[in-house]
Amino acid sequence: MQRTALVVGASGIGGSSVARELLANGWIVHGLARRPNDEVPGLRPIAANLLEPASLATALANVAPTHVFITTWMRKATEAQNIEVNSAMVRHVLAALAPKKTLRHVALVTGLKHYLGPFDAYATSGTLPDTPLRETQPRLPIENFYYAQEDEVYAAAEQGRFTWSIHRPHTVIGKAVGNAMNLGTTLAVYASICKQSGRPFQFPGSQAQWNGLSDVTDARMLAKQLVWAADTDAARNEAFNIVNGDLFRWSWLWGRLADWFGVQAAGFTGTTQPLEVIMASDHALWRQMAQQHGLAEASLERLASPWHTDLDLGRPLEVMTDMAKSRKLGFAAYQATEESFFDLFAQLRAERLIP
């Protein structure tokens, strides 16, 4: 039977990667976003606002997917607002599709804030989990928009009689412009600024992150697990961590990233030095660099998300993720983290997003 996918958030890091993976495997793929991605050959774009149910229903009137992949979210000022808005987006898209009765599976992408807490209480002493993080760990006793999104999927699946899977990546490394959480591109932009200005490539984070073990999730790995779960009976109605499969320390990786750009690496100095502060005055410099080098994006805010990079690199504990659950069920993909960064940097340079 022909499988038809609706990728919600198809312009983002995760969404664009899963769209490519699905297309490579012969799926019909619709990509829904407020501003649809026109860079993925074969993707059928749908422009819609997930917070407007009537216009969303109109946009999806002629789309009858068998599978939905939800990869989007929206950041608001408080966690209560995050819950209200992000649960509504999930609820609205599934409600718009419910009358068609074609859905067989829904995949939702969340992340490690499931274990570490939401933005308002991220990795604080009262919520620090045991690591490696495992899917069997219970929800934290605090409000979290990831939990609200999951609950929307569970309720819709019970009513619509379709299966689901939840996917929890660590920091996602991949290319997207205008994305709210983009550590890989943020570091590429920061390193490019360091090279232009002659500044050292200063590690901005904590001692725990500098010395501790960590992992990340290549967007291509996330896409592979989403498609694997959609095709694997044993993966239905399960939640899965998803990371590259290797471990590293920033004290090992930081100098390698610096070498790729030809800049001087500077490690942990005894205190955190937030990237949001370091890059606060670099907007004019980036506009100058964009003009000088003929870059495709002159807005620093469209490429870099220092606040999110500071959250990841400033955590007071080492964070790594257990992958045993999906491995036991047959998910065997692997990605070397060093190459995740280098592949991204090369892509950003080829597309004239960094000099």
Side-chain angles (χ1 to χ4, degrees):
M1 179 181 294
Q2 178 65 59
R3 294 168 299 176
T4 301
L6 175 67
V7 178
V8 182
S11 296
I13 294 177
S16 59
S17 289
V18 74
R20 288 186 172 90
E21 183 71 15
L22 290 163
L23 287 163
N25 283 275
W27 292 57
I28 294 172
V29 185
H30 300 271
L32 190 155
R34 184 172 296 189
R35 290 178 291 275
N37 192 338
D38 59 1
E39 299 177 1
V40 180
L43 182 65
R44 304 181 183 189
I46 301 172
N49 185 340
L50 294 175
L51 294 176
E52 298 176 358
S55 63
L56 179 60
T58 299
L60 295 174
N62 297 319
V63 180
T66 57
H67 296 68
V68 174
F69 300 85
I70 302 173
T71 69
T72 191
W73 71 286
M74 184 180 296
R75 187 188 183 197
K76 306 300 285 185
T78 67
E79 191 59 20
Q81 292 173 314
N82 283 333
I83 290 169
E84 179 182 1
V85 168
N86 288 284
S87 62
M89 291 196 296
V90 174
R91 183 169 63 254
H92 292 165
V93 72
L94 296 181
L97 296 172
K100 303 175 188 293
K101 300 187 183 300
T102 58
L103 278 185
R104 290 154 50 188
H105 185 78
V106 171
L108 171 68
V109 177
T110 61
L112 296 198
K113 285 187 290 296
H114 183 94
Y115 309 107
L116 296 170
F119 295 117
D120 292 353
Y122 185 72
T124 59
S125 59
T127 60
L128 295 182
D130 293 330
T131 57
L133 301 172
R134 293 180 170 87
E135 297 92 340
T136 53
Q137 292 172 224
R139 290 181 174 184
L140 299 172
I142 53 178
E143 290 188 325
N144 190 320
F145 80 85
Y146 282 170
Y147 305 161
Q149 287 183 310
E150 287 183 356
D151 290 343
E152 293 290 347
V153 171
Y154 301 153
E158 183 175 0
Q159 185 173 8
R161 298 185 180 277
F162 55 79
T163 61
W164 52 265
S165 59
I166 309 295
H167 304 263
R168 299 170 185 158
H170 197 165
T171 303
V172 180
I173 306 301
K175 180 250 176 178
V177 176
N179 193 272
M181 298 192 296
N182 197 336
L183 181 144
T185 300
T186 299
L187 293 183
V189 169
Y190 174 45
S192 299
I193 289 173
C194 289
K195 186 169 185 178
Q196 180 85 7
S197 62
R199 287 151 42 183
F201 185 55
Q202 176 66 57
F203 180 74
S206 67
Q207 183 175 17
Q209 286 297 295
W210 179 252
N211 292 322
L213 291 171
S214 189
D215 50 27
V216 297
T217 307
D218 191 302
R220 297 167 295 188
M221 280 285 291
L222 173 60
K224 288 181 184 299
Q225 194 191 63
L226 286 163
V227 177
W228 165 80
D231 281 337
T232 303
D233 288 342
R236 308 287 165 76
N237 302 335
E238 296 286 351
F240 297 105
N241 294 330
I242 172 61
V243 288
N244 283 353
D246 62 357
L247 295 170
F248 67 92
R249 301 181 197 274
W250 283 105
S251 58
W252 171 85
L253 183 60
W254 196 251
R256 287 162 169 76
L257 303 185
D259 288 345
W260 197 94
F261 287 94
V263 294
Q264 177 188 354
F268 179 70
T269 61
T271 58
T272 59
Q273 302 188 45
L275 205 56
E276 195 166 19
V277 175
I278 292 173
M279 298 180 69
S281 301
D282 287 333
H283 294 269
L285 174 58
W286 186 258
R287 288 193 295 271
Q288 176 187 333
M289 291 171 62
Q291 183 175 12
Q292 177 184 346
H293 298 285
L295 301 182
E297 180 55 68
S299 171
L300 187 62
E301 291 181 349
R302 292 271 295 157
L303 293 173
S305 51
W307 70 272
H308 169 255
T309 300
D310 287 337
L311 274 181
D312 272 9
L313 299 187
R315 292 177 297 207
L317 76 167
E318 64 177 12
V319 177
M320 78 291 293
T321 309
D322 183 76
M323 282 277 289
K325 185 176 181 180
S326 60
R327 297 295 192 215
K328 289 178 180 178
L329 296 179
F331 181 72
Y334 169 86
Q335 171 66 46
T337 289
E338 187 176 33
E339 294 174 5
S340 291
F341 281 97
F342 294 165
D343 289 351
L344 171 62
F345 298 161
Q347 182 182 9
L348 294 174
R349 182 165 287 173
E351 297 184 17
R352 297 187 301 109
L353 290 169
I354 60 172

